[in-house]
CSV table of all heavy atoms in Angstrom, one decimal:
chain,number,residue,atom,x,y,z
A,1486,ILE,N,126.8,-49.7,128.8
A,1486,ILE,CA,127.5,-50.4,129.9
A,1486,ILE,C,126.5,-50.6,131.0
A,1486,ILE,O,125.8,-49.7,131.5
A,1486,ILE,CB,128.7,-49.6,130.4
A,1486,ILE,CG1,129.7,-49.4,129.3
A,1486,ILE,CG2,129.4,-50.3,131.6
A,1486,ILE,CD1,130.7,-48.3,129.6
A,1488,VAL,N,126.3,-52.2,134.9
A,1488,VAL,CA,127.1,-52.8,136.0
A,1488,VAL,C,126.3,-54.0,136.6
A,1488,VAL,O,125.2,-53.8,137.1
A,1488,VAL,CB,127.3,-51.7,137.1
A,1488,VAL,CG1,128.1,-52.3,138.3
A,1488,VAL,CG2,128.2,-50.6,136.5
A,1496,LYS,N,137.7,-52.6,153.0
A,1496,LYS,CA,138.7,-52.1,154.0
A,1496,LYS,C,139.9,-51.8,153.2
A,1496,LYS,O,140.3,-52.4,152.3
A,1496,LYS,CB,138.9,-53.0,155.1
A,1496,LYS,CG,137.7,-53.1,156.0
A,1496,LYS,CD,138.0,-54.0,157.2
A,1496,LYS,CE,136.8,-54.0,158.1
A,1496,LYS,NZ,136.8,-54.9,159.2
A,1497,ARG,N,140.7,-50.8,153.7
A,1497,ARG,CA,142.0,-50.6,153.1
A,1497,ARG,C,142.8,-51.8,153.2
A,1497,ARG,O,142.8,-52.6,154.1
A,1497,ARG,CB,142.8,-49.4,153.9
A,1497,ARG,CG,142.1,-48.1,153.8
A,1497,ARG,CD,142.9,-47.0,154.3
A,1497,ARG,NE,143.1,-47.1,155.8
A,1497,ARG,CZ,143.8,-46.3,156.5
A,1497,ARG,NH1,144.4,-45.3,156.0
A,1497,ARG,NH2,143.9,-46.4,157.8
A,1508,ILE,N,129.4,-54.5,125.2
A,1508,ILE,CA,129.2,-55.0,123.9
A,1508,ILE,C,130.3,-56.0,123.6
A,1508,ILE,O,131.4,-55.8,123.8
A,1508,ILE,CB,129.4,-53.8,122.9
A,1508,ILE,CG1,128.3,-52.7,123.1
A,1508,ILE,CG2,129.2,-54.3,121.4
A,1508,ILE,CD1,128.6,-51.4,122.5
A,1520,LYS,N,142.2,-39.8,146.3
A,1520,LYS,CA,142.6,-38.5,146.7
A,1520,LYS,C,144.0,-38.2,146.1
A,1520,LYS,O,144.3,-37.1,145.7
A,1520,LYS,CB,142.7,-38.4,148.2
A,1520,LYS,CG,143.0,-37.0,148.7
A,1520,LYS,CD,143.0,-36.9,150.2
A,1520,LYS,CE,143.3,-35.5,150.7
A,1520,LYS,NZ,143.2,-35.4,152.2
A,1522,GLY,N,145.2,-39.4,143.4
A,1522,GLY,CA,145.3,-39.5,142.0
A,1522,GLY,C,144.8,-40.8,141.4
A,1522,GLY,O,144.3,-41.6,142.2
A,1523,PRO,N,145.0,-41.1,140.1
A,1523,PRO,CA,144.6,-42.3,139.5
A,1523,PRO,C,145.3,-43.5,140.2
A,1523,PRO,O,146.5,-43.5,140.4
A,1523,PRO,CB,145.0,-42.2,138.1
A,1523,PRO,CG,145.2,-40.7,137.8
A,1523,PRO,CD,145.6,-40.1,139.2
A,1525,LYS,N,147.2,-47.0,140.4
A,1525,LYS,CA,148.1,-47.8,139.5
A,1525,LYS,C,148.0,-49.3,139.8
A,1525,LYS,O,148.9,-50.0,139.5
A,1525,LYS,CB,149.6,-47.3,139.7
A,1525,LYS,CG,149.6,-45.8,139.2
A,1525,LYS,CD,151.1,-45.3,139.5
A,1525,LYS,CE,151.3,-43.9,138.9
A,1525,LYS,NZ,150.5,-42.9,139.6
A,1526,ALA,N,147.0,-49.7,140.6
A,1526,ALA,CA,146.8,-51.1,141.0
A,1526,ALA,C,146.9,-52.1,139.8
A,1526,ALA,O,146.2,-51.8,138.8
A,1526,ALA,CB,145.6,-51.3,141.8
A,1529,LEU,N,143.6,-53.3,137.2
A,1529,LEU,CA,142.8,-52.2,136.5
A,1529,LEU,C,143.4,-52.1,135.0
A,1529,LEU,O,144.4,-52.7,134.7
A,1529,LEU,CB,143.0,-50.9,137.2
A,1529,LEU,CG,142.5,-50.9,138.6
A,1529,LEU,CD1,142.9,-49.5,139.3
A,1529,LEU,CD2,140.9,-51.0,138.6
A,1531,VAL,N,142.7,-51.9,130.6
A,1531,VAL,CA,141.8,-52.2,129.5
A,1531,VAL,C,141.7,-53.7,129.3
A,1531,VAL,O,142.6,-54.4,129.4
A,1531,VAL,CB,142.4,-51.6,128.2
A,1531,VAL,CG1,141.6,-52.0,126.9
A,1531,VAL,CG2,142.6,-50.1,128.2
A,1539,ILE,N,130.6,-59.6,128.8
A,1539,ILE,CA,131.0,-59.6,130.1
A,1539,ILE,C,132.5,-59.3,130.3
A,1539,ILE,O,133.3,-59.8,129.6
A,1539,ILE,CB,130.7,-61.0,130.9
A,1539,ILE,CG1,129.2,-61.4,130.7
A,1539,ILE,CG2,131.1,-60.9,132.3
A,1539,ILE,CD1,128.2,-60.4,131.3
A,1542,TRP,N,137.0,-56.8,136.6
A,1542,TRP,CA,138.3,-56.4,137.0
A,1542,TRP,C,138.3,-56.7,138.5
A,1542,TRP,O,137.3,-56.6,139.2
A,1542,TRP,CB,138.5,-54.9,136.8
A,1542,TRP,CG,138.6,-54.4,135.4
A,1542,TRP,CD1,139.7,-54.2,134.7
A,1542,TRP,CD2,137.5,-54.1,134.5
A,1542,TRP,NE1,139.5,-53.8,133.5
A,1542,TRP,CE2,138.1,-53.7,133.3
A,1542,TRP,CE3,136.1,-54.1,134.6
A,1542,TRP,CZ2,137.3,-53.3,132.2
A,1542,TRP,CZ3,135.4,-53.7,133.5
A,1542,TRP,CH2,135.9,-53.4,132.4
A,1549,ARG,N,147.3,-47.8,152.6
A,1549,ARG,CA,147.3,-46.5,153.1
A,1549,ARG,C,146.3,-45.5,152.3
A,1549,ARG,O,146.4,-44.3,152.4
A,1549,ARG,CB,148.7,-45.9,153.0
A,1549,ARG,CG,149.7,-46.6,154.0
A,1549,ARG,CD,151.0,-45.9,154.0
A,1549,ARG,NE,151.6,-45.9,152.7
A,1549,ARG,CZ,152.8,-46.5,152.4
A,1549,ARG,NH1,153.5,-47.1,153.3
A,1549,ARG,NH2,153.3,-46.4,151.2
A,1551,THR,N,143.4,-43.3,151.4
A,1551,THR,CA,142.5,-42.4,152.2
A,1551,THR,C,141.1,-43.0,152.2
A,1551,THR,O,140.5,-43.2,151.2
A,1551,THR,CB,142.5,-41.0,151.6
A,1551,THR,OG1,143.9,-40.6,151.5
A,1551,THR,CG2,141.7,-40.0,152.5
A,1552,PRO,N,140.5,-43.1,153.4
A,1552,PRO,CA,139.1,-43.6,153.5
A,1552,PRO,C,138.2,-42.6,152.8
A,1552,PRO,O,138.5,-41.4,152.9
A,1552,PRO,CB,138.8,-43.7,155.0
A,1552,PRO,CG,140.2,-43.9,155.6
A,1552,PRO,CD,141.1,-43.1,154.8
A,1557,ILE,N,134.8,-45.5,140.5
A,1557,ILE,CA,135.2,-46.6,139.6
A,1557,ILE,C,134.6,-46.2,138.3
A,1557,ILE,O,133.4,-46.1,138.1
A,1557,ILE,CB,134.7,-48.0,140.0
A,1557,ILE,CG1,135.1,-48.3,141.4
A,1557,ILE,CG2,135.2,-49.0,139.0
A,1557,ILE,CD1,134.4,-49.6,142.0
A,1558,ILE,N,135.5,-45.9,137.3
A,1558,ILE,CA,135.0,-45.4,136.0
A,1558,ILE,C,135.3,-46.4,134.9
A,1558,ILE,O,136.5,-46.9,134.7
A,1558,ILE,CB,135.8,-44.1,135.6
A,1558,ILE,CG1,135.6,-43.1,136.8
A,1558,ILE,CG2,135.3,-43.5,134.3
A,1558,ILE,CD1,136.8,-42.2,137.0
A,1564,ASN,N,134.4,-45.6,122.1
A,1564,ASN,CA,133.5,-44.4,122.2
A,1564,ASN,C,133.5,-43.8,123.6
A,1564,ASN,O,132.9,-44.3,124.5
A,1564,ASN,CB,132.0,-45.0,121.9
A,1564,ASN,CG,131.0,-43.9,122.1
A,1564,ASN,OD1,131.2,-42.8,122.4
A,1564,ASN,ND2,129.7,-44.4,121.9
A,1573,PHE,N,132.6,-46.4,145.3
A,1573,PHE,CA,132.7,-47.5,146.3
A,1573,PHE,C,133.4,-46.8,147.6
A,1573,PHE,O,134.1,-45.8,147.5
A,1573,PHE,CB,133.5,-48.7,145.8
A,1573,PHE,CG,135.0,-48.6,145.7
A,1573,PHE,CD1,135.9,-49.5,146.4
A,1573,PHE,CD2,135.6,-47.6,144.9
A,1573,PHE,CE1,137.2,-49.4,146.2
A,1573,PHE,CE2,136.9,-47.5,144.7
A,1573,PHE,CZ,137.8,-48.4,145.4
A,1578,ASN,N,141.0,-49.6,158.4
A,1578,ASN,CA,141.3,-51.0,158.8
A,1578,ASN,C,140.8,-51.4,160.1
A,1578,ASN,O,140.6,-52.6,160.4
A,1578,ASN,CB,142.9,-51.2,158.8
A,1578,ASN,CG,143.5,-50.8,157.5
A,1578,ASN,OD1,143.3,-49.8,156.9
A,1578,ASN,ND2,144.3,-51.7,156.9
Side-chain angles (χ1 to χ4, degrees):
I1486 304 165
V1488 175
K1496 289 184 176 172
R1497 293 191 293 179
I1508 303 164
K1520 183 177 181 179
K1525 295 175 180 66
L1529 295 172
V1531 177
I1539 305 297
W1542 293 264
R1549 292 188 303 239
T1551 304
I1557 304 170
I1558 306 144
N1564 176 2
F1573 77 125
N1578 303 49

